[in-house]
Amino acid sequence: MRSQPPPDLKNPTQETVIRTKDSSPSTISGNGTDAINLIAQDMKSLVKKIQDLRHIGIEDNRIALPKICVIGDQSTGKSSLIEGMSEIKVPRSSGTCTRCPMEINLTESKPGQPWICRVFLSRKYMFDGSRKVTKLPKKSQPLGPWILQDQEDELFVTLSDKCFVQDAIMWAQVAILNPSQPSIDYVPGRNADASMNCQVKFSPNVVRLDISAPSFPNLSFYDLPGVISQAEFDEERYLVSLVENLAKEYISQENCIVLLTLPMTDDATNSSAARLMRDVRGAKERTLGVLTKPDRVQACESYNQWMEILEGDKFALGHGYYVVQNNPDPSVDHAQARDEEADFFTRHPWSTELQAYKDRFGTRNLQSALSMLLLERIQGCLPRIIEQIDAKAARIDDELRTLPDPPSANVQYILCRKISQLKERITAHFNGGSSQYPLQKIWGHLALDFKTALIKTRPTVQLRAGSDAARLGGERDGESDCEMTGVQNVTPVKRKTPGDGPTSTPNLPDVNGAGGQVGTPKTSVYFTTHFHKFDKPARMFTWEEIREINEDAYRAGIPDQADPKAIEIMRQLSVRHWNEPMLVFLQATHSLVREMLMKQLEDVFTQYRQTSLYRELRKIIDTFLRGLQKEHIRHAQENYDIECHKPFTMATTTLEQVSRSAYQFLSTRRNEARVHCALALRGISAEHPRRDYEMKRLVLPADDFTQELKMMASTRGYYEIASSRFIDFTCQSVHTKLFSKCRDELITVIEEELGIVEDNAFERCQELMAEDPERQHRRQYLLREKEKITKAQEWLDSVKREDDAGEQGTVFVKSQPPDEWASFPVFPPTVSMD
């Protein structure tokens, strides 16, 4: 079939406009006025705004605009229904008309304006030819080879005469079903050599008709491909799933009003479209049923089933049912069809048995109901749509701030300014002094944790010796000629026998002689999570072990004296564990600095994250920090080796003081342990009533480990001095080996490594800040989306600004915030659907 070119088609490069031969505009039938003039002008304006929003492509997976979707099985009178509501003729062949959706937008134009129909090809999906077309679609790919893309609307043809519409729709569908061919090849008047053959038999892309005329109803609806239960050929079985999946995608949207066509010639239980609708959650409540072909019901058949359906007793839907009668003869014009329909419903049984449902008979009543349903849906969801559009605008603006236009002539200045900002931020963090720059505060907690770790892990001694039981149990008061020791007052404590576990840490004088106390902190909780495993003494000496160390180191001299070499060995053993907490501290410090630097880099250069500049900066900073860390750890390890190799201090006075304090503490605790041991051997527990009496008369033999006690006290005293020195050195090295180098040298290294201080600095800056194609594509996409959003916001703002408040009797929408929606009128009550 070929369409004849219109007489006034002259320039093939311009928009195609088809007119009647006398160039006079086609008009709407006069009898249609009653059915069309249904809603107030302000309501029509809102419907038009929704149409405009849809046409600029504002919908996405978060924003769903109100719409009406017509579904039904094939041959259910759906095409006749579309013709009756839109006053146009649609293709009736079994080919193209069932293979892609059609969107019809009816808009009222100003009085005196001509009837105009613009046909668009709306492509929201791209055809992927690499996928097998006839393969059944997967759940993850419900539309098979069709892939979602940015919506593109192409004007196909403009018509001013209704008689050309059917032919234009047919060729538009052929263009849609040939995605790899230029659509201009199928435009009526230019398609002399075009073929009706189609590359695909199904497409989710839409043929859109924008029809406007004076006194036209503002109504929009989608005509979806007819649901099929069986494919004509085995190789076309995939079409069944594709059509159903497309229908589900539309009717599953919460703002979609579903128009379900059911022929009265068939049993309602056999409808595949009805089954599909009921399978979609929430769709039933949004569905209005349309019963078609009432003139085909045999006179001998009962109307009981249809009465029960109209009454809502069977197959109930959220908006009930309407009945329409359309003449299937395409040669019958709209006015005659409506007159015939009106006459049909004046006959039996419609005007007799079924008269109670007369408000639900006829296309005009259906138009009225659909108009009010659509307006009701718009009224309910428009505030939410505006919120969603504003939220999308904010998301786009946020992302665009990270994707600014690439610099041009001032690229060198921009880069130098950004590096200067980075330097200022880094310097501020290393200098500290503000809650805005918390690096020093966090690192101070790390340093305190490091100090706490060394205190918690300092070596201790098991108070009871293995020989105490035999030594204290074999003697009785006054029966030994050995030197005896009187027992000092010991406060009874209800606890297990001492000496079975490690001693608690004593409070020792400050190593600087300031009189403060350095002991176990009041709480064992660290500021950070790095040192939790350092929660107990790293070494537990025994008195026998200390004696053995002394004996092994013994050289010629006075027996039973502490050998200086033995004390040196004990001091070495006491500091050997420092390496692990030191490395944990340094690693945590370097990680903290790296995290801060990368955060500042991201904040300053966030707009250029997709450029080679950002990648180069990260690489330079990482390399610089790795070099600092390697040198820092080498330096700290060298100091650790010195501490372990040769214990040394010139603070002899302080050493003597802290050793004396340690001796007093240890000797007291050792004496307590021996007393409790002796009482326990005599059967006197902590709760014994004679415990205080027995304790006063208890005389202990001389301690066999007095010398070892002095050696342990000297070791503990040295530990206090050496650990304080080691902490100070390690923390000081952080400032000299890390902080100051990052603050003073990093930016210079960055400038040198980037090569922006050389003769070709300008070219180098352009190279670094050039964006990749993906980033450029993303920005262009966001700018297009921003243009749509901005236009949408302007249109919606114009709705807000409509000043209807001055009119008498104006009532405002109750569900809308008064501050934002003071100009919205409430629509009249909807036509009853029950």
Side-chain angles (χ1 to χ4, degrees):
M1 179 178 178
R2 299 287 185 272
S3 65
Q4 299 298 322
D8 59 346
L9 184 63
K10 298 178 180 179
N11 190 347
T13 63
Q14 295 179 348
E15 172 185 329
T16 302
V17 179
I18 301 179
R19 298 181 180 274
T20 57
K21 293 182 179 180
D22 59 359
S23 299
S24 61
S26 178
T27 60
I28 295 177
S29 59
N31 291 337
T33 305
D34 293 339
I36 293 173
N37 190 17
L38 300 172
I39 46 181
Q41 185 61 40
D42 54 352
M43 301 178 187
K44 296 178 182 180
S45 175
L46 285 181
V47 176
K48 182 63 169 61
K49 295 299 181 185
I50 295 298
Q51 293 174 349
D52 293 339
L53 290 177
R54 181 178 295 112
H55 296 165
I56 64 174
I58 202 68
E59 288 185 291
D60 58 17
N61 59 350
R62 300 189 185 186
I63 302 175
L65 299 176
K67 58 173 64 71
I68 299 172
C69 290
V70 184
I71 64 170
D73 295 358
Q74 286 187 332
S75 302
T76 59
K78 192 158 60 70
S79 296
S80 297
L81 175 64
I82 297 299
E83 291 178 348
M85 290 194 299
S86 60
E87 302 186 14
I88 61 172
K89 299 298 181 182
V90 299
R92 297 295 190 98
S93 66
S94 60
T96 59
C97 64
T98 61
R99 296 294 185 252
C100 68
M102 183 166 61
E103 176 188 355
I104 300 177
N105 298 297
L106 308 179
T107 307
E108 180 185 26
S109 60
K110 295 180 179 179
Q113 295 294 317
W115 181 96
I116 293 292
C117 175
R118 292 180 174 85
V119 182
F120 292 85
L121 306 182
S122 183
R123 297 185 179 92
K124 196 175 181 180
Y125 297 88
M126 177 182 65
F127 179 72
D128 184 0
S130 64
R131 300 183 182 181
K132 188 176 181 181
V133 178
T134 58
K135 186 177 181 181
L136 290 174
K138 301 178 181 178
K139 190 173 183 179
S140 59
Q141 299 169 349
L143 298 181
W146 296 96
I147 303 172
L148 192 66
Q149 65 171 11
D150 296 343
Q151 180 172 317
E152 299 175 356
D153 291 335
E154 175 188 357
L155 180 62
F156 185 68
V157 66
T158 299
L159 310 173
S160 60
D161 193 331
K162 296 179 183 179
C163 65
F164 292 108
V165 173
Q166 188 175 24
D167 195 46
I169 293 175
M170 180 187 66
W171 283 106
Q173 292 173 336
V174 174
I176 284 288
L177 294 173
N178 285 279
S180 62
Q181 298 297 320
S183 57
I184 195 173
D185 293 347
Y186 303 98
V187 175
R190 309 178 192 177
N191 57 358
D193 299 326
S195 170
M196 291 290 292
N197 294 331
C198 299
Q199 178 184 353
V200 297
K201 293 192 174 183
F202 164 84
S203 174
N205 290 322
V206 178
V207 173
R208 184 182 113 206
L209 278 65
D210 291 352
I211 306 173
S212 62
S215 302
F216 227 51
N218 280 38
L219 193 61
S220 297
F221 52 90
Y222 286 83
D223 178 21
L224 301 181
V227 178
I228 51 180
S229 57
Q230 295 291 334
E232 186 175 357
F233 304 102
D234 288 342
E235 59 269 20
E236 294 182 357
R237 287 184 303 163
Y238 70 97
L239 290 174
V240 177
S241 297
L242 289 180
V243 172
E244 287 193 1
N245 291 341
L246 178 67
K248 287 180 179 178
E249 183 172 308
Y250 276 86
I251 67 177
S252 61
Q253 299 175 17
E254 63 179 358
N255 290 330
C256 174
I257 300 169
V258 183
L259 198 62
L260 174 66
T261 60
L262 295 172
M264 297 181 69
T265 55
D266 296 339
D267 193 328
T269 59
N270 296 330
S271 172
S272 297
R275 171 189 53 79
L276 185 70
M277 175 271 298
R278 294 180 186 277
D279 288 342
V280 175
R281 178 179 299 179
K284 176 183 173 183
E285 289 71 21
R286 295 182 276 106
T287 299
L288 184 150
V290 180
L291 304 179
T292 63
K293 304 182 181 182
D295 53 319
R296 307 277 184 91
V297 180
Q298 299 297 322
C300 59
E301 293 183 19
S302 172
Y303 283 85
N304 290 338
Q305 175 187 208
W306 308 111
M307 292 178 64
E308 290 174 337
I309 289 177
L310 289 171
E311 192 65 33
D313 296 334
K314 282 187 176 181
F315 311 112
L317 299 177
H319 299 301
Y321 289 84
Y322 281 71
V323 185
V324 299
Q325 189 269 331
N326 290 290
N327 193 322
D329 185 355
S331 64
V332 176
D333 64 22
H334 178 75
Q336 180 181 345
R338 298 285 68 77
D339 289 342
E340 292 178 355
E341 182 184 41
D343 180 66
F344 173 81
F345 286 115
T346 62
R347 305 173 191 169
H348 175 80
W350 308 102
S351 61
T352 56
E353 297 176 29
L354 301 176
Q355 186 180 11
Y357 312 106
K358 64 179 181 178
D359 291 339
R360 293 178 172 269
F361 298 157
T363 301
R364 295 171 182 173
N365 285 335
L366 175 62
Q367 282 180 314
S368 174
L370 288 176
S371 296
M372 300 311 297
L373 275 178
L374 183 61
L375 289 166
E376 184 183 57
R377 180 69 58 175
I378 293 173
Q379 178 186 8
C381 70
L382 189 57
R384 175 60 179 161
I385 290 174
I386 292 179
E387 290 179 4
Q388 293 171 332
I389 290 175
D390 290 342
K392 184 174 182 179
R395 292 195 302 271
I396 291 175
D397 288 339
D398 290 343
E399 187 170 354
L400 279 174
R401 278 192 285 270
T402 69
L403 300 169
D405 291 332
S408 53
N410 59 347
V411 59
Q412 192 173 1
Y413 167 76
I414 291 176
L415 180 53
C416 291
R417 180 165 55 86
K418 289 291 183 182
I419 291 178
S420 178
Q421 292 176 3
L422 180 63
K423 181 178 182 179
E424 291 173 0
R425 285 170 170 258
I426 291 174
T427 300
H429 272 280
F430 283 120
N431 289 341
S434 169
S435 59
Q436 188 178 356
Y437 307 105
L439 175 72
Q440 293 294 339
K441 175 184 177 181
I442 299 173
W443 180 78
H445 290 164
L446 274 175
L448 286 175
D449 285 352
F450 175 48
K451 177 180 179 181
T452 301
L454 294 194
I455 294 174
K456 281 179 169 288
T457 56
R458 61 185 169 189
T460 186
V461 64
Q462 187 169 340
L463 291 174
R464 283 182 54 177
S467 60
D468 282 350
R471 175 74 167 146
L472 298 175
E475 300 292 343
R476 291 292 184 265
D477 299 346
E479 295 180 359
S480 174
D481 57 357
C482 298
E483 178 184 357
M484 307 300 289
T485 303
V487 179
Q488 300 176 354
N489 290 333
V490 179
T491 303
V493 181
K494 294 185 179 181
R495 59 182 176 86
K496 66 179 182 180
T497 304
D500 295 335
T503 172
S504 59
T505 307
N507 293 329
L508 302 177
D510 185 270
V511 294
N512 297 320
Q517 297 298 310
V518 180
T520 302
K522 294 181 179 180
T523 175
S524 61
V525 178
Y526 285 102
F527 283 108
T528 68
T529 60
H530 303 284
F531 298 90
H532 283 173
K533 66 177 180 178
F534 305 110
D535 59 349
K536 60 183 178 181
R539 188 179 187 90
M540 174 75 73
F541 287 104
T542 64
W543 301 118
E544 291 82 0
E545 181 185 6
I546 297 174
R547 175 170 293 176
E548 186 174 353
I549 292 173
N550 191 37
E551 291 174 351
D552 290 343
Y554 176 74
R555 292 168 293 187
I558 304 174
D560 299 327
Q561 295 293 316
D563 193 289
K565 180 64 177 176
I567 294 178
E568 181 177 293
I569 292 172
M570 288 188 62
R571 290 173 177 176
Q572 290 175 324
L573 293 174
S574 68
V575 302
R576 185 171 292 174
H577 67 280
W578 285 354
N579 190 51
E580 189 174 0
M582 176 194 74
L583 291 177
V584 169
F585 171 63
L586 295 181
Q587 181 63 47
T589 297
H590 280 264
S591 296
L592 175 66
V593 171
R594 184 187 184 281
E595 182 181 345
M596 181 275 293
L597 291 176
M598 292 305 176
K599 178 66 168 58
Q600 303 314 306
L601 174 65
E602 181 178 358
D603 290 347
V604 175
F605 289 90
T606 184
Q607 300 172 337
Y608 306 99
R609 291 193 63 180
Q610 304 301 320
T611 64
S612 59
L613 169 65
Y614 192 83
R615 293 189 291 271
E616 284 290 321
L617 287 171
R618 285 185 64 93
K619 181 179 177 181
I620 292 169
I621 293 175
D622 271 332
T623 302
F624 180 76
L625 290 178
R626 282 197 299 269
L628 292 184
Q629 185 173 9
K630 183 178 179 180
E631 170 58 23
H632 190 184
I633 290 179
R634 185 203 62 78
H635 181 71
Q637 193 71 47
E638 182 179 345
N639 180 62
Y640 165 76
D641 293 339
I642 292 173
E643 290 287 352
C644 288
H645 178 70
K646 184 64 178 177
F648 178 82
T649 180
M650 290 292 291
T652 54
T653 302
T654 303
L655 176 61
E656 203 174 302
Q657 291 175 352
V658 294
S659 297
R660 187 183 306 117
S661 297
Y663 179 79
Q664 292 174 353
F665 176 80
L666 290 173
S667 62
T668 300
R669 295 299 307 281
R670 168 64 177 162
N671 191 49
E672 290 176 0
R674 296 177 70 221
V675 168
H676 290 302
C677 178
L679 292 176
L681 291 172
R682 289 163 171 76
I684 301 176
S685 64
E687 293 79 12
H688 198 284
R690 291 176 53 84
R691 183 178 178 84
D692 291 344
Y693 173 78
E694 291 294 335
M695 189 180 295
K696 291 178 181 179
R697 59 190 299 272
L698 179 65
V699 178
L700 299 177
D703 192 352
D704 291 341
F705 296 100
T706 302
Q707 190 60 47
E708 287 73 15
L709 194 150
K710 292 178 181 178
M711 293 175 64
M712 186 63 201
S714 177
T715 300
R716 288 287 292 269
Y718 176 78
Y719 188 95
E720 300 302 323
I721 293 175
S723 63
S724 179
R725 177 178 63 209
F726 184 72
I727 292 168
D728 289 346
F729 177 88
T730 305
C731 292
Q732 197 171 33
S733 72
V734 170
H735 285 277
T736 59
K737 296 293 183 180
L738 180 60
F739 290 173
S740 62
K741 288 188 178 293
C742 287
R743 180 179 54 235
D744 302 334
E745 300 176 13
L746 177 58
I747 297 301
T748 302
V749 172
I750 287 176
E751 292 173 343
E752 292 176 352
E753 292 294 326
L754 288 179
I756 60 175
V757 292
E758 301 174 0
D759 295 338
N760 62 339
F762 179 77
E763 291 78 8
R764 177 60 175 159
C765 290
Q766 282 189 321
E767 176 186 352
L768 289 169
M769 301 181 75
E771 61 181 354
D772 54 64
E774 182 179 349
R775 173 187 171 95
Q776 185 178 14
H777 175 76
R778 181 63 178 172
R779 185 197 305 111
Q780 291 172 350
Y781 165 76
L782 289 174
L783 289 174
R784 291 195 301 269
E785 290 296 300
K786 181 176 176 64
E787 184 179 359
K788 297 177 187 177
I789 289 290
T790 302
K791 188 177 294 185
Q793 289 175 320
E794 291 174 353
W795 287 347
L796 293 170
D797 285 342
S798 70
V799 176
K800 290 183 185 180
R801 290 194 298 268
E802 292 177 357
D803 188 11
D804 296 331
E807 298 179 6
Q808 293 293 329
T810 299
V811 184
F812 302 117
V813 181
K814 296 180 180 179
S815 62
Q816 298 159 344
D819 294 340
E820 298 184 8
W821 297 96
S823 61
F824 271 104
V826 158
F827 304 126
T830 60
V831 176
S832 174
M833 298 297 162
D834 301 322

